Amino acid sequence: MLDIDGEVKTLVEKIKELGAPDQADHGRIKVKYGILFRETSDLFEALAGTMRAAKRKKLVTFDGELLLQGVHDNVDVVLLEAC
């Protein structure tokens, strides 16, 4: 059984660890999807699903509905201030 809340919490921690504050975006922590994917590929059964769950909870934001490795490697994943 998947623990979505646990996976979302782990995702948030990984974004904090891998990302960096962007002063142009009010200091929000950002990380490129490609980096996040490479560094977490062994942690998540389905990173795309975890990302969508985190976005629905308004913990992260990114352009589009679904991010795919390769195609979206340069898309910023932004940790929202509520985290």
Side-chain angles (χ1 to χ4, degrees), residues 4-19 29 31 36 40 43-44 47 50-51 53-55 57-60 77-80 82-83:
I4 295 297
D5 289 336
E7 285 199 0
V8 167
K9 183 178 178 182
T10 300
L11 176 67
V12 167
E13 292 303 315
K14 283 306 213 178
I15 292 170
K16 288 178 181 177
E17 178 185 319
L18 299 168
I29 297 173
V31 64
L36 186 62
T40 63
L43 292 178
F44 300 107
L47 179 58
T50 304
M51 297 276 295
K55 189 173 185 178
K57 293 174 180 276
K58 300 190 184 325
L59 298 174
V60 302
V77 177
V78 182
L79 193 58
L80 298 175
C83 297

Side-chain angles (χ1 to χ4, degrees), residues 7-79:
E7 285 199 0
V8 167
K9 183 178 178 182
T10 300
L11 176 67
V12 167
E13 292 303 315
K14 283 306 213 178
I15 292 170
K16 288 178 181 177
E17 178 185 319
L18 299 168
D22 182 351
Q23 297 310 315
D25 192 12
H26 309 289
R28 290 183 175 158
I29 297 173
K30 292 184 178 183
V31 64
K32 297 292 183 189
Y33 180 70
I35 293 169
L36 186 62
F37 185 89
R38 282 189 300 277
E39 296 297 321
T40 63
S41 62
D42 60 334
L43 292 178
F44 300 107
E45 188 171 322
L47 179 58
T50 304
M51 297 276 295
R52 288 182 72 190
K55 189 173 185 178
R56 278 194 306 272
K57 293 174 180 276
K58 300 190 184 325
L59 298 174
V60 302
T61 191
F62 50 87
D63 289 337
E65 289 296 313
L66 178 69
L67 298 178
L68 301 172
Q69 180 196 17
V71 178
H72 299 114
D73 282 356
N74 253 355
V75 173
D76 285 325
V77 177
V78 182
L79 193 58

